[in-house]
Amino acid sequence: MQAFWQKFRLGLTGFCFRFASAIVYAQYIYMKRHLVFILAFILIWAQKSRAQSGTENVSISVLTCGVGDELYSSFGHTGLRVRDTVRGVDDVYNYGLFNFSDPDFYSKFTRGKLLYFVGRTNFYSFMSEYEYDRRSVIEQELNLTNEEKACILRFLNENLRPENASYKYDFLYDNCATRVRDIFPRTLGQEFSFGNTLDNNTHLSFRQMINQYLHNSHWSRLGINIVLGSNIDKVMSNTETMFLPDMLMAGLKEAKMGSRKMTKAPVRLIEGADRSAPKPNAAMWTMLAVLVATVLIFFLKALHSLRTAWSFILLFTNGALGCLLLFMWLGTDHQACNNNFNLLWAFPLNILMAFTIFGPRKWHATYSILAIILILAALLVNITGIQGMPLKEMLPYFLAMTYAYLFVYKRAKALPQSGTTSAQ
């Protein structure tokens, strides 16, 4: 009997031990499962906290850089500044970079195939260039939530990837300002809206806006007005005006995200030089000089011997210019050079006509009348607003060309019916 109770106690003890072990193991499994959930929650919370702390000390602002003295700086520039006070980061995302060391740089630039790209540079390095050139810089800090900042930063860093960094530059439709402009509707969604850049009653074409910026760069204004075609004479939409950095700044000034204003008060970081003082219109005076020289050569008997050579110069340069305009229209990717009605007066065939005037021909009379009609047609295109042109500079030139055509016409009409005479 004693042996039985001893075995019973030992069995009961073993059972209790196994039962207790099972309970402890079950409790361990239970706690382990909950521990996994607890750790996962902590990790998610920590990640979210890090994401928030990664943007709560970040400020994003648009830098609008003023105009400079060179043609490439005549319309200003735009950059996007990202500053993180905790990490000590202060960078500018610049969409106006290109590789000047490219061996085909000039060829690609002329044909409209030059690739620009976005790069990230230190803010102080960026600013030093504008301080040196005495160009103004105005900063507009954006009023963004941490989530919106994170969206914009993701977009910018995605753009920096080598496969995304480059783009084919277009002066009107895809440049440093339009690239920054397009970031906000893409990252912030439909709630974002720009303010008006111009008064409601103001309607300007691309050409009119460009001429305002080139009011003191007379040769550049003349050349651009000749090379760019009728596409730039259409009235701009509010969004299209922001191809210019100043207009983007104006659009951001009243931009909203729903009812929330998107920008704080602008801060001028660099004052910049005053470039508003009027300069002599050298282009106009040069064209007047061409007209005066033409009148003297064709009306003073002492200079009559120069009439043929002077007509050759006028016709050859006119034809060469026409060939350039035709190439810019048909041989390049520059959209703004299409549909150029300046080919009416800058007639490509004049480059061939120039070599025939040393021996008068009967057909010269018909050709000259046709050329004069084309000049009148070009003036009509300007008057009707189909394509604008700088008449202050062009009218003296048109008169000089008309004198040359009339000279060629009179010589041709003076020929006897049977053939040609010697050059005069």
Side-chain angles (χ1 to χ4, degrees):
M1 190 66 179
Q2 187 178 359
F4 171 77
W5 285 110
Q6 187 176 3
K7 289 181 180 180
F8 178 76
R9 284 197 302 270
L10 288 172
L12 183 62
T13 303
F15 172 76
C16 290
F17 178 78
R18 286 192 294 273
F19 181 73
S21 298
I23 290 174
V24 171
Y25 180 74
Q27 189 69 17
Y28 166 74
I29 296 297
Y30 176 80
M31 290 299 295
K32 185 178 178 181
R33 288 177 180 175
H34 280 72
L35 186 63
V36 169
F37 286 116
I38 291 169
L39 288 174
F41 174 78
I42 291 172
L43 287 172
I44 292 170
W45 179 82
Q47 187 175 9
K48 186 176 180 181
S49 297
R50 280 198 302 271
Q52 288 181 345
S53 65
T55 56
E56 66 184 6
N57 299 302
V58 170
S59 64
I60 300 177
S61 53
V62 175
L63 301 177
T64 302
C65 308
V67 301
D69 297 316
E70 303 298 329
L71 178 59
Y72 71 85
S73 63
S74 295
F75 302 94
H77 187 55
T78 298
L80 203 62
R81 182 185 185 184
V82 175
R83 181 170 39 178
D84 188 330
T85 55
V86 170
R87 293 190 298 148
V89 172
D90 198 350
D91 292 330
V92 176
Y93 289 78
N94 185 355
Y95 282 88
L97 303 177
F98 54 85
N99 183 13
F100 192 75
S101 62
D102 187 335
D104 297 323
F105 174 83
Y106 291 105
S107 171
K108 290 178 179 178
F109 179 81
T110 302
R111 293 182 292 124
K113 299 182 183 295
L114 183 65
L115 293 180
Y116 278 55
F117 60 91
V118 59
R120 184 170 54 195
T121 57
N122 177 267
F123 169 73
Y124 297 100
S125 298
F126 179 86
M127 292 290 286
S128 63
E129 178 184 347
Y130 294 93
E131 288 178 353
Y132 180 81
D133 291 337
R134 300 171 65 207
R135 293 171 60 184
S136 65
V137 178
I138 298 174
E139 181 176 26
Q140 289 173 294
E141 186 177 341
L142 301 175
N143 183 25
L144 301 168
T145 65
N146 289 335
E147 230 176 88
E148 290 165 350
K149 293 175 191 175
C151 286
I152 292 175
L153 288 174
R154 281 196 300 270
F155 182 89
L156 291 172
N157 290 324
E158 185 68 20
N159 269 195
L160 283 178
R161 294 167 65 91
E163 63 270 24
N164 301 328
S166 61
Y167 67 99
K168 191 163 72 171
Y169 178 86
D170 186 284
F171 173 61
L172 299 181
Y173 304 109
D174 201 355
N175 61 29
C176 66
T178 64
R179 285 270 156 169
V180 174
R181 175 198 68 190
D182 294 343
I183 289 173
F184 306 117
R186 287 180 182 177
T187 58
L188 304 180
Q190 294 182 350
E191 283 190 73
F192 175 84
S193 61
F194 284 106
N196 289 330
T197 60
L198 300 170
D199 295 335
N200 291 331
N201 295 325
T202 303
H203 304 286
L204 296 176
S205 68
F206 286 103
R207 190 184 302 276
Q208 289 169 325
M209 187 71 80
I210 290 169
N211 285 338
Q212 287 183 10
Y213 276 77
L214 297 176
H215 71 282
N216 257 341
S217 302
H218 302 292
W219 279 113
S220 298
R221 178 171 48 81
L222 175 61
I224 286 175
N225 273 281
I226 291 174
V227 171
L228 301 187
S230 60
N231 287 0
I232 71 167
D233 288 278
K234 75 167 190 171
V235 174
M236 297 178 289
S237 68
N238 189 65
T239 301
E240 287 174 331
T241 63
M242 289 180 269
F243 82 99
L244 291 169
D246 286 341
M247 294 297 103
L248 175 58
M249 180 172 65
L252 284 170
K253 186 177 180 181
E254 300 299 330
K256 290 184 178 180
M257 186 70 177
S259 59
R260 172 175 30 115
K261 191 172 181 181
M262 284 300 294
T263 56
K264 300 178 182 179
V267 177
R268 187 175 290 270
L269 304 180
I270 299 177
E271 183 63 33
D274 181 9
R275 293 178 169 86
S276 61
K279 297 178 182 178
N281 191 342
M284 182 187 70
W285 288 110
T286 300
M287 293 303 177
L288 284 171
V290 170
L291 175 59
V292 170
T294 303
V295 171
L296 292 175
I297 288 171
F298 287 140
F299 285 89
L300 291 181
K301 287 186 178 181
L303 300 176
H304 277 186
S305 60
L306 300 176
R307 289 181 299 179
T308 302
W310 186 249
S311 297
F312 171 84
I313 293 171
L314 290 175
L315 288 168
F316 182 84
T317 55
N318 182 278
L321 178 59
C323 290
L324 173 63
L325 299 186
L326 197 61
F327 168 75
M328 294 301 292
W329 178 354
L330 303 177
T332 75
D333 292 342
H334 295 293
Q335 298 180 58
C337 296
N338 296 348
N339 306 318
N340 195 339
F341 288 95
N342 285 321
L343 283 164
L344 291 171
W345 60 264
F347 200 42
L349 291 180
N350 276 346
I351 200 169
L352 300 176
M353 170 68 175
F355 289 97
T356 68
I357 65 167
F358 293 100
R361 292 161 173 79
K362 277 290 183 183
W363 60 266
H364 282 179
T366 304
Y367 185 95
S368 298
I369 292 298
L370 175 62
I372 292 172
I373 291 172
L374 290 177
I375 290 178
L376 294 175
L379 289 172
L380 184 62
V381 164
N382 175 75
I383 293 170
T384 56
I386 296 173
Q387 179 172 326
M389 64 177 67
L391 288 181
K392 282 194 301 184
E393 292 84 7
M394 296 311 302
L395 279 177
Y397 177 76
F398 288 164
L399 287 172
M401 289 301 301
T402 301
Y403 276 121
Y405 289 134
L406 288 174
F407 166 70
V408 173
Y409 171 81
K410 289 178 180 178
R411 284 197 322 168
K413 295 299 286 184
L415 287 173
Q417 294 296 324
S418 58
T420 65
T421 63
S422 60
Q424 297 180 18

